[in-house]
Amino acid sequence: MKIPWRKLWPAIGTALLMGCGDWKADSSALTARTATPAVGMDCAGCHAYPLTDRNHDYHLKDAGANRDLNGEITCLDCHSLSIQFQALTLFDSIYQDTSGEKWGTLSHPNADGKTTDGKIIRSLAFLGVDTLHQHHPRPMPARPGPAPKFQEYMTTLAHLNNTVDVKFDSRNSDPARFGGDSASYNPTQESCSAVACHPGPKVYSWGSVAKGLPELKDKNGGSPAP
């Protein structure tokens, strides 16, 4: 069977290129380095980081840690689809002072290990060691340039879908307390419900004057944290 010449030209062209060797990259280019390290992309290159509205500002900076959940609140707690995480088992030594107040070494990791009145935590009465199970976001590796103002975390492919996905980390649900419901977010009402870290059975509404969505009142009649 005869093969038309026009079908042989691609193979002939490839053979000619390989024969002359012009298609090969300079071997030195494969290990070339720039004069200065590349700074690389940071989170603030695409959107404000961290977000500075009153709700994000409170949760990320002022809310404090919850040892029964994931410790310090991070992006992972509300955007679990977008952040890589690791499951950790932590051990917290618990001590008690003469007034009955308990002190955990994980909650007070300051260098001198002192209570508010200056006593050394480990000099108090030892009660035992608590085993804590938490999910922590994976921190981004250090990169050249100035350190970020807020810890950056490794993201997942879901972070690139051009959608703000609010999906609570599994440890932020408390089905026993909320009648079997898991933590969820209502984007229309901008409200969160059945979240373990919020007191009371009502939903938590993100304050939005523009949308007429003031926060709900807490059980004591005051406004809950922003």
Side-chain angles (χ1 to χ4, degrees):
M1 181 178 66
K2 292 184 179 181
I3 300 176
W5 278 102
R6 64 177 181 273
K7 292 187 177 181
L8 293 176
W9 280 119
I12 295 173
T14 301
L16 290 173
L17 283 173
M18 294 180 67
C20 67
D22 289 342
W23 66 277
K24 293 182 179 179
D26 182 356
S27 59
S28 63
L30 300 177
T31 57
R33 294 179 179 272
T34 58
T36 57
V39 173
M41 178 61 72
D42 61 5
C43 296
C46 297
H47 57 77
Y49 187 83
L51 295 175
T52 55
D53 61 275
R54 65 195 300 264
N55 297 289
H56 280 95
D57 193 61
Y58 171 78
H59 283 88
L60 295 175
K61 296 180 181 179
D62 301 326
N66 189 320
R67 63 195 301 274
D68 295 324
L69 300 179
N70 288 328
E72 296 286 344
I73 296 176
T74 66
C75 306
L76 170 70
D77 287 294
C78 300
H79 304 283
S80 61
L81 295 180
S82 301
I83 304 294
Q84 295 187 35
F85 76 92
Q86 53 190 337
L88 299 178
T89 299
L90 307 176
F91 302 100
D92 194 11
S93 298
I94 308 300
Y95 297 82
Q96 181 173 293
D97 61 24
T98 54
S99 68
E101 184 172 359
K102 297 179 181 178
W103 299 83
T105 52
L106 285 181
S107 303
H108 302 83
N110 48 311
D112 56 8
K114 293 182 179 179
T115 66
T116 52
D117 61 359
K119 294 181 179 178
I120 303 297
I121 290 179
R122 287 179 172 80
S123 69
L124 305 177
F126 177 65
L127 297 183
V129 177
D130 285 350
T131 301
L132 308 178
H133 301 286
Q134 298 180 355
H135 293 165
H136 287 192
R138 294 183 181 276
M140 284 287 290
R143 54 178 170 76
K149 294 181 180 179
F150 190 79
Q151 175 65 58
E152 297 173 331
Y153 302 111
M154 297 179 68
T155 58
T156 68
L157 290 178
H159 192 63
L160 305 176
N161 64 6
N162 201 34
T163 302
V164 179
D165 296 304
V166 179
K167 177 68 175 178
F168 290 99
D169 180 73
S170 59
R171 290 195 51 76
N172 289 312
S173 292
D174 189 350
R177 181 173 148 219
F178 292 102
D181 291 338
S182 296
S184 63
Y185 175 71
N186 184 322
T188 302
Q189 294 296 319
E190 293 189 357
S191 62
C192 307
S193 59
V195 184
C197 57
H198 285 289
K202 295 183 178 180
V203 300
Y204 171 88
S205 178
W206 287 56
S208 176
V209 177
K211 292 187 177 183
L213 297 172
E215 293 95 348
L216 297 174
K217 300 297 182 180
D218 64 20
K219 61 184 180 180
N220 296 319
S223 295

